[in-house]
Amino acid sequence: MSLRRWLCSCAIVAGFAGVAVAEDLNVQVRETAVREKPNPGAAIVGMLNYGDKVSVLEKLGEGWKRVEHKAPSKLAGWVRSSALTPKSLDTTNFGGSKSSATTVESTEAGKGLLEKGETSYVNKNNLQNAMAQVDAIVNNASLKASPADIAAFLSEGGVTPREVK
Amino acid sequence: MKNARTPFAFAAAFAGCVALIIGGCNSDGTADNSILKGLEGFGDAGKGLASGLRVHGAFHKSQEQFSSLDEYHVGRAAAAQIIQQYGLYTDDAANRYVNLVGKTLAEFSMMPEVYSGYHFHILNSDEVNAFAAPGAFIFITRGLLRAAETEDELAAILAHEIGHIQNQHALAAIKKSRNEAFVGVLATEGAKTATGEYGAQVGDVLGGMTSDVLATLKNGYSREQESQADNDGVGILRRTGYDPAAMVSVLSKMEKRLKPGSKDFSSTHPKTADRIASIKSAAGGTAQPASPPRQARFDAALRAARAQ
């Protein structure tokens, strides 16, 4: 019996026995805030980045998960569920400078293969100016909105969110 | 059935396939390469089976390996094409206001965080239209801004577009047609070529996916997807604290601005009366009067953008 099948069998037995098995997930956004409480306005205790691996400690509905970073820091707190994925995001050699030809399949997976095609696509379609405008949108500080900006915007406009149960 | 060898080839290929199912499938549903190559030795039928199994395997692999970062780059390419065609409306105050409304709504969606965050921008076009590209790049034309007369109605339009994002509707168009090419360039064969050539190969895959997205944005989502975006948009409005009935009122105002036969919202969306009928019970019938502070900031931020 292979190790994979053995582990799988153990997981099934553990499931039937009602033993809690920790769920491991990966951060799939550029960066996400880890908060003290499951609330967008709660204090930030640290940040996690794309590819960081976490263990799920607790869930609150569909929207929030309390996680612990699988790293020596063991940073723990609440993050938005949509920032996490079960997909493997192998960020070994992230940035591409160190990736070797023979290991491309394992290193490209999850790292964003299509990023490597952007220059070619832009040149082929004469989109240099338009792509510069995309970058301007992404980087324009005046178009960003912090949780504090959003809270103030809601308050000033008299917009009162409904409590999500 | 071209020759007498075919029945034997088919039987042999079938046997090979059974062997593959029993022992040659990897844990992710893909087939071992050695077995696929073996199948190809059994003539046309074997090649056909090997090809089918590769596509099946490619589907599993692409689902597993297409990341949020890939989605973001398809979105960037689609956004660049939209900007190239329509041009941006570069009024920072107006765009900041649209971003504040949109990002506030996104906080109350089922997908509040995406790879690079939500990005909203006004297009300098009289066409009545809006686009939600992968990676949460959302564009709204000046023509459509004119249909919204209150902040709640603007919020309704943006909430509908966020509905498309949270259901990954544009991404669904890609998944159907480009899986094989994506997995193909992930394979080691691609990496053996020169960097420039490899970049061009990946660029072609990106181009194919972007083309799928743009075709969907241009020709319209399915009736079911539009209905889902309407309904989810109503839910986002309600949770955020905006008037859900604004979805009904802005749909009516949009219809009055549509020109029959034009390439705008009317060509890509189901009939307004049908859309209103399907959301009316959830949204409520009568829009609330505009809130004075909201109306003041709406007018101040968008007066120039909404001017004819």
Side-chain angles (χ1 to χ4, degrees):
Chain A
M1 184 182 280
S2 70
L3 179 63
R4 187 194 296 268
R5 285 184 185 173
W6 185 81
L7 287 172
C8 189
S9 303
C10 286
I12 291 167
V13 170
F16 279 125
V19 177
V21 178
E23 184 185 9
D24 289 347
L25 297 174
N26 300 288
V27 174
Q28 63 168 346
V29 298
R30 185 178 278 150
E31 62 172 12
T32 188
V34 182
R35 297 181 185 279
E36 245 175 33
K37 293 175 184 171
N39 179 320
I44 295 172
V45 296
M47 302 297 290
L48 290 171
N49 298 300
Y50 184 85
D52 283 348
K53 297 180 193 322
V54 298
S55 296
V56 178
L57 306 173
E58 192 178 348
K59 297 177 185 179
L60 182 69
E62 297 290 313
W64 291 89
K65 289 187 171 71
R66 191 164 72 84
V67 301
E68 181 181 270
H69 188 194
K70 296 180 80 168
S73 72
K74 292 197 177 297
L75 171 67
W78 292 91
V79 299
R80 306 301 284 260
S81 297
S82 76
L84 303 170
T85 180
K87 287 183 183 178
S88 170
L89 303 179
D90 185 348
T91 56
T92 313
N93 300 331
F94 190 82
S97 59
K98 295 177 188 170
S99 63
S100 74
T102 52
T103 58
V104 66
E105 187 163 4
S106 61
T107 57
E108 301 293 9
K111 220 174 73 173
L113 168 75
L114 296 181
E115 185 173 10
K116 292 184 180 300
E118 185 172 291
T119 303
S120 167
Y121 177 76
V122 165
N123 290 338
K124 198 171 179 179
N125 293 278
N126 295 317
L127 290 168
Q128 293 87 346
N129 186 35
M131 192 57 87
Q133 292 181 70
V134 172
D135 281 327
I137 291 173
V138 171
N139 298 320
N140 187 340
S142 75
L143 301 184
K144 295 188 191 303
S146 68
D149 291 337
I150 289 172
F153 187 75
L154 285 165
S155 169
E156 287 160 14
V159 184
T160 309
R162 287 197 175 199
E163 195 173 331
V164 182
K165 292 180 181 174
Chain B
M1 298 287 170
K2 288 177 182 174
N3 56 47
R5 286 189 303 147
T6 303
F8 168 74
F10 206 91
F14 178 75
C17 186
V18 170
L20 185 149
I21 291 164
I22 293 170
C25 249
N26 296 324
S27 59
D28 61 355
T30 60
D32 278 344
N33 216 29
S34 59
I35 290 173
L36 290 175
K37 286 193 186 305
L39 273 177
E40 286 175 346
F42 292 109
D44 290 346
K47 280 180 186 167
L49 275 171
S51 169
L53 286 164
R54 277 210 177 88
V55 171
H56 173 72
F59 179 76
H60 279 271
K61 273 198 158 185
S62 65
Q63 297 294 302
E64 180 61 30
Q65 299 184 345
F66 190 87
S67 65
S68 57
L69 192 50
D70 290 312
E71 180 180 348
Y72 170 66
H73 279 93
V74 174
R76 283 171 60 87
Q81 291 280 12
I82 290 166
I83 291 169
Q84 180 98 323
Q85 183 179 345
Y86 290 91
L88 293 178
Y89 180 70
T90 52
D91 171 342
D92 254 13
N95 282 302
R96 173 160 179 75
Y97 175 72
V98 170
N99 270 275
L100 276 166
V101 176
K103 287 173 179 174
T104 299
L105 292 162
E107 276 291 315
F108 296 90
S109 74
M110 297 307 287
M111 195 177 281
E113 291 194 16
V114 293
Y115 177 76
S116 172
Y118 281 76
H119 301 292
F120 298 84
H121 213 284
I122 303 167
L123 296 171
N124 194 17
S125 167
D126 293 332
E127 194 177 296
V128 181
N129 225 333
F131 305 101
F137 288 94
I138 295 177
F139 296 96
I140 179 169
T141 62
R142 293 178 69 191
L144 185 49
L145 275 183
R146 290 180 193 122
E149 294 177 346
T150 67
E151 181 172 303
D152 291 56
E153 289 179 347
L154 169 65
I157 294 168
L158 299 181
H160 170 93
E161 298 304 322
I162 293 169
H164 283 308
I165 297 289
Q166 76 174 20
N167 289 294
Q168 299 190 303
H169 285 157
L171 210 57
I174 295 170
K175 286 174 181 171
K176 289 170 187 165
S177 56
R178 306 291 176 183
N179 298 315
E180 214 177 346
F182 180 73
V183 174
V185 290
L186 271 176
T188 52
E189 285 88 347
K192 288 174 186 166
T193 61
T195 306
E197 194 180 327
Y198 186 57
Q201 283 178 26
V202 182
D204 287 345
V205 175
L206 176 61
M209 291 182 166
T210 306
S211 158
D212 287 350
V213 167
L214 292 169
T216 300
L217 295 181
K218 184 181 169 190
N219 299 324
Y221 294 108
S222 70
R223 182 174 295 271
E224 290 72 26
Q225 288 173 323
E226 290 299 348
S227 176
Q228 194 175 23
D230 281 342
N231 279 297
D232 286 2
V234 167
I236 293 168
L237 286 173
R238 178 173 281 113
R239 287 195 296 277
T240 308
Y242 282 115
D243 180 11
M247 185 71 85
V248 174
S249 62
V250 80
L251 281 171
S252 304
K253 288 172 185 172
M254 278 160 55
E255 188 173 38
K256 288 175 189 161
R257 291 181 170 270
L258 296 174
K259 294 167 189 160
S262 65
K263 292 180 181 177
D264 53 21
F265 227 78
S266 60
S267 68
T268 60
H269 285 68
K271 283 182 182 172
T272 304
D274 293 345
R275 294 176 68 186
I276 289 175
S278 73
I279 59 164
K280 206 156 188 175
S281 62
T286 309
Q288 294 164 9
S291 134
R294 267 179 251 173
Q295 195 60 36
R297 67 186 183 185
F298 174 88
D299 290 338
L302 298 182
R303 186 172 290 114
R306 296 178 70 248
Q308 295 288 346

